[in-house]
Amino acid sequence: MYRFVATSALLSGVVSAAPQGWSALSILSSADASYHMGGAGDYGNAGGYTMTSSASPAMTDDAQPTTVSGTRVLKSAPSVAIDQSGNVPGYTNADASFADDSVTPLTELPTSFGMNSQIPASHVSADVGASQVSSYPTGHTSHGPYSGTATTTGAVMNTPYVYPEGTIPTGPLAATKTYYNTNGMLQTNQPIPYTPAGGLGTNGSEPRYMVESDFDYESLALGLYQEWIELDAFNNAVALFSEEEFLRYGLTPEDVSLIQFMGQQEQGHATLITNLLGETAPVQCTYNHPFTNPREFVDYQQILTRWGESGVWGFINHLDSREVGQLLAQSIATEARQEMIFRQMSGLHPMPVWFEAGIPQSWAWTFMAPYISSCPENQTRLAWQNFPALHVANQANINRVSPNDTAIWERVDNRTSSPATIPEQDESCINLNKTGYGCGPAITRNRSEPLSFPGKQVLLEWDTPGKPVGPNNSYVTSVSDVAGEPAYVAWAAQLNLTYTPLTVTGPNTGYTYQPNATVYENGQQIVNGTMFIAVTDTDMPLTPFNLSMINPHVLALGVYQAG
């Protein structure tokens, strides 16, 4: 039995807002098109796509193709493609008759390379921007576990709490949320031409690019911790491994240059957030990364940047400062590209989901903290919770030709975001040049055997609370006093929070089965990509905007490599 609470909650919300007599389906999907995909790992191949459409109108004389300088062009483009009969089943009559599909033999290549620009140019004075927080690429180079004794422990707190019982009570829909447009017309007078009424920060007031609350400050401080660990990891890998070592795993000098540039991006992001926070902004720490070769590095980074990006999506629209949210969105858009690039370098499909999930700050901090060894004295501490780790014992190994042959504990260590081990050559897909089975760096991969699938038994173990983690071992994992016994596994992916029953088999051990559910009917599987799971005591219905309400009921947190 599976419970798909987010989908049902979102649908019911739309239905309640719609005029009487409208169905949710008529609002959320087109009556003229349908979309079908296969199970997990089927990333939109042509055989799974169907669309119905009306017949194309006849081509007019004005739209007939003509030849200009040897190229067939249209005198005037028709409103729809014409004479369509293509290679996508169901998409009929898709022949691009207006294009020239003849092949020109490749007989000559450039032989002269140099700065031979023919474009007129003039010297332009440089406009130097504000200084960075530190000069690239300097920073801490010490790596390894922390061996000292913590002098301060626990998250930042103050009392008394507004809700001493430990949970924020759920409430009804806000009374101000009443807008619904039934005719597609403007409902309120415009403030000026071409500007609809409404929006925040649109009244002409001067922007203030600073945090506006404790929530803003702690969220941005967490984001800065994230930028620092990424900056260090990118630079550390480039400094640590030789060109030959990168090439051994299919990564060229140009790929390494891209990793270096991503490090420079992090320098800019760290500078931005430092400026938004002020003089108490967290500084760079030392780290205990889990990689020993370039392949482990890129696998680790596709996981690290996943919860780095998702952690910001989870809080950005809750910020009191809209100005800060604007700048943060412009940096996290870059982070999303980094995550996709590291998936490509890992031989994974770059974006096997329709929507990227957002997660609460305490989830991101739980995943990050085990990789921070120590921070300088007087470092700004965080208020977020560290949950016990949830381990997937049979986590799919992305480096295997057959991921379903993955044995128990094929990870480099027992931290939840650490990379997969590399199997023997005759079981490895890293240097295999075979479509559907190779997993070396590529623009995209579509595996014949997916990493996971609906109904897969997922073996779980979770830590007991009270474990020291994070900088200087100065934070302690915990669960809420209101949390009960483990009963469910929550799958946080795309737009959904989906629960499956947890079968407990012993102390801190159990199993569940990967759910078989789609985001929308006949659409994308919810479970795919690099995503998040939690052991909970409840299956309370939640949606992306209030996902943090689950925190008092979380007993352990983990990462799931679904695709």
Short mmCIF file of all heavy atoms in Angstrom, two decimals, residues 209-210 216 220 276 312-313 315-317 319-332:
data_model
loop_
_atom_site.label_atom_id
_atom_site.label_comp_id
_atom_site.label_asym_id
_atom_site.label_seq_id
_atom_site.Cartn_x
_atom_site.Cartn_y
_atom_site.Cartn_z
N TYR A 209 19.28 44.91 0.17
CA TYR A 209 19.85 43.59 -0.02
C TYR A 209 20.53 43.10 1.25
O TYR A 209 21.75 42.96 1.32
CB TYR A 209 20.82 43.60 -1.20
CG TYR A 209 20.13 43.83 -2.53
CD1 TYR A 209 20.12 45.08 -3.13
CD2 TYR A 209 19.45 42.80 -3.17
CE1 TYR A 209 19.48 45.30 -4.34
CE2 TYR A 209 18.80 43.00 -4.38
CZ TYR A 209 18.82 44.25 -4.95
OH TYR A 209 18.17 44.46 -6.15
N MET A 210 19.71 42.83 2.26
CA MET A 210 20.18 42.29 3.53
C MET A 210 19.12 41.36 4.09
O MET A 210 17.94 41.48 3.76
CB MET A 210 20.48 43.41 4.54
CG MET A 210 21.63 44.33 4.14
SD MET A 210 21.98 45.57 5.41
CE MET A 210 22.60 44.52 6.74
N ASP A 216 15.93 34.25 7.82
CA ASP A 216 16.76 34.62 6.69
C ASP A 216 18.24 34.40 7.01
O ASP A 216 18.99 33.83 6.21
CB ASP A 216 16.56 36.10 6.33
CG ASP A 216 15.22 36.37 5.66
OD1 ASP A 216 14.37 35.46 5.63
OD2 ASP A 216 15.03 37.50 5.18
N LEU A 220 20.64 31.73 5.07
CA LEU A 220 21.77 32.19 4.26
C LEU A 220 23.10 31.69 4.82
O LEU A 220 24.03 31.38 4.06
CB LEU A 220 21.77 33.72 4.17
CG LEU A 220 21.02 34.35 2.99
CD1 LEU A 220 21.76 34.11 1.69
CD2 LEU A 220 19.60 33.84 2.88
N LEU A 276 25.66 39.64 1.97
CA LEU A 276 24.27 39.70 2.43
C LEU A 276 24.16 39.51 3.93
O LEU A 276 23.25 40.03 4.57
CB LEU A 276 23.44 38.64 1.71
CG LEU A 276 23.27 38.80 0.19
CD1 LEU A 276 22.58 37.58 -0.40
CD2 LEU A 276 22.49 40.07 -0.15
N VAL A 312 18.29 24.97 -1.02
CA VAL A 312 17.89 26.36 -1.26
C VAL A 312 16.47 26.43 -1.80
O VAL A 312 15.69 27.29 -1.39
CB VAL A 312 18.89 27.05 -2.21
CG1 VAL A 312 18.39 28.44 -2.59
CG2 VAL A 312 20.26 27.14 -1.56
N TRP A 313 16.11 25.52 -2.72
CA TRP A 313 14.73 25.54 -3.21
C TRP A 313 13.75 25.38 -2.06
O TRP A 313 12.62 25.89 -2.12
CB TRP A 313 14.51 24.42 -4.23
CG TRP A 313 15.24 24.53 -5.53
CD1 TRP A 313 15.84 23.52 -6.21
CD2 TRP A 313 15.46 25.71 -6.33
NE1 TRP A 313 16.42 23.98 -7.37
CE2 TRP A 313 16.20 25.33 -7.47
CE3 TRP A 313 15.11 27.06 -6.19
CZ2 TRP A 313 16.58 26.23 -8.46
CZ3 TRP A 313 15.50 27.95 -7.17
CH2 TRP A 313 16.22 27.54 -8.28
N PHE A 315 13.86 26.64 0.98
CA PHE A 315 13.60 27.80 1.84
C PHE A 315 13.47 29.13 1.10
O PHE A 315 13.00 30.12 1.67
CB PHE A 315 14.69 27.93 2.92
CG PHE A 315 16.05 28.38 2.46
CD1 PHE A 315 16.28 29.69 2.04
CD2 PHE A 315 17.13 27.51 2.48
CE1 PHE A 315 17.55 30.11 1.65
CE2 PHE A 315 18.40 27.91 2.08
CZ PHE A 315 18.60 29.22 1.66
N ILE A 316 13.84 29.18 -0.17
CA ILE A 316 13.98 30.48 -0.83
C ILE A 316 12.68 31.27 -0.85
O ILE A 316 12.68 32.50 -0.68
CB ILE A 316 14.56 30.29 -2.26
CG1 ILE A 316 14.98 31.64 -2.83
CG2 ILE A 316 13.58 29.56 -3.17
CD1 ILE A 316 15.82 31.51 -4.10
N ASN A 317 11.55 30.60 -1.03
CA ASN A 317 10.28 31.33 -1.08
C ASN A 317 9.66 31.57 0.29
O ASN A 317 8.56 32.13 0.38
CB ASN A 317 9.29 30.59 -1.98
CG ASN A 317 9.63 30.77 -3.45
OD1 ASN A 317 9.84 31.88 -3.91
ND2 ASN A 317 9.71 29.68 -4.18
N LEU A 319 11.73 33.18 2.54
CA LEU A 319 12.56 34.28 3.05
C LEU A 319 11.73 35.54 3.24
O LEU A 319 10.87 35.87 2.42
CB LEU A 319 13.71 34.56 2.08
CG LEU A 319 14.79 33.48 1.94
CD1 LEU A 319 15.74 33.83 0.81
CD2 LEU A 319 15.55 33.31 3.25
N ASP A 320 12.01 36.27 4.31
CA ASP A 320 11.36 37.56 4.52
C ASP A 320 11.90 38.60 3.54
O ASP A 320 11.17 39.50 3.12
CB ASP A 320 11.59 38.04 5.95
CG ASP A 320 10.80 37.22 6.96
OD1 ASP A 320 9.57 37.30 6.95
OD2 ASP A 320 11.43 36.48 7.74
N SER A 321 13.17 38.48 3.17
CA SER A 321 13.77 39.43 2.24
C SER A 321 13.61 38.93 0.82
O SER A 321 14.28 37.98 0.41
CB SER A 321 15.26 39.63 2.56
OG SER A 321 15.87 40.41 1.56
N ARG A 322 12.74 39.58 0.06
CA ARG A 322 12.57 39.21 -1.34
C ARG A 322 13.81 39.57 -2.15
O ARG A 322 14.15 38.90 -3.13
CB ARG A 322 11.34 39.91 -1.93
CG ARG A 322 10.07 39.79 -1.12
CD ARG A 322 9.65 38.35 -0.92
NE ARG A 322 9.21 37.72 -2.14
CZ ARG A 322 8.68 36.50 -2.21
NH1 ARG A 322 8.56 35.78 -1.11
NH2 ARG A 322 8.30 35.99 -3.36
N GLU A 323 14.49 40.63 -1.74
CA GLU A 323 15.70 41.04 -2.45
C GLU A 323 16.79 39.97 -2.34
O GLU A 323 17.46 39.63 -3.32
CB GLU A 323 16.23 42.37 -1.88
CG GLU A 323 15.27 43.55 -2.02
CD GLU A 323 14.40 43.75 -0.79
OE1 GLU A 323 14.09 42.75 -0.11
OE2 GLU A 323 14.02 44.90 -0.51
N VAL A 324 16.95 39.43 -1.13
CA VAL A 324 17.93 38.37 -0.93
C VAL A 324 17.54 37.14 -1.74
O VAL A 324 18.38 36.49 -2.37
CB VAL A 324 18.04 38.02 0.57
CG1 VAL A 324 18.79 36.71 0.78
CG2 VAL A 324 18.75 39.15 1.31
N GLY A 325 16.25 36.82 -1.75
CA GLY A 325 15.78 35.69 -2.52
C GLY A 325 16.07 35.83 -4.01
O GLY A 325 16.41 34.86 -4.69
N GLN A 326 15.96 37.05 -4.52
CA GLN A 326 16.25 37.30 -5.94
C GLN A 326 17.70 36.95 -6.26
O GLN A 326 17.99 36.23 -7.22
CB GLN A 326 15.98 38.76 -6.27
CG GLN A 326 16.41 39.19 -7.67
CD GLN A 326 15.58 38.54 -8.75
OE1 GLN A 326 14.36 38.52 -8.67
NE2 GLN A 326 16.23 37.99 -9.76
N LEU A 327 18.64 37.46 -5.45
CA LEU A 327 20.05 37.20 -5.71
C LEU A 327 20.39 35.73 -5.51
O LEU A 327 21.19 35.15 -6.25
CB LEU A 327 20.92 38.07 -4.81
CG LEU A 327 20.77 39.59 -4.99
CD1 LEU A 327 21.76 40.32 -4.08
CD2 LEU A 327 20.99 40.00 -6.44
N LEU A 328 19.78 35.13 -4.50
CA LEU A 328 20.05 33.72 -4.22
C LEU A 328 19.56 32.84 -5.37
O LEU A 328 20.22 31.86 -5.74
CB LEU A 328 19.39 33.32 -2.91
CG LEU A 328 19.89 32.04 -2.25
CD1 LEU A 328 21.38 32.12 -1.95
CD2 LEU A 328 19.11 31.75 -0.98
N ALA A 329 18.42 33.19 -5.95
CA ALA A 329 17.90 32.42 -7.09
C ALA A 329 18.87 32.48 -8.27
O ALA A 329 19.06 31.50 -8.99
CB ALA A 329 16.53 32.95 -7.50
N GLN A 330 19.50 33.63 -8.46
CA GLN A 330 20.44 33.77 -9.57
C GLN A 330 21.72 32.96 -9.34
O GLN A 330 22.38 32.57 -10.30
CB GLN A 330 20.76 35.24 -9.79
CG GLN A 330 19.58 36.04 -10.31
CD GLN A 330 19.87 37.52 -10.48
OE1 GLN A 330 19.18 38.36 -9.92
NE2 GLN A 330 20.89 37.84 -11.26
N SER A 331 22.06 32.70 -8.09
CA SER A 331 23.22 31.84 -7.82
C SER A 331 22.83 30.37 -7.87
O SER A 331 23.59 29.54 -8.38
CB SER A 331 23.84 32.19 -6.46
OG SER A 331 22.99 31.82 -5.39
N ILE A 332 21.65 30.03 -7.37
CA ILE A 332 21.27 28.61 -7.33
C ILE A 332 20.94 28.10 -8.72
O ILE A 332 21.01 26.88 -8.98
CB ILE A 332 20.10 28.39 -6.35
CG1 ILE A 332 20.15 26.96 -5.78
CG2 ILE A 332 18.76 28.65 -6.99
CD1 ILE A 332 21.39 26.67 -4.98
#
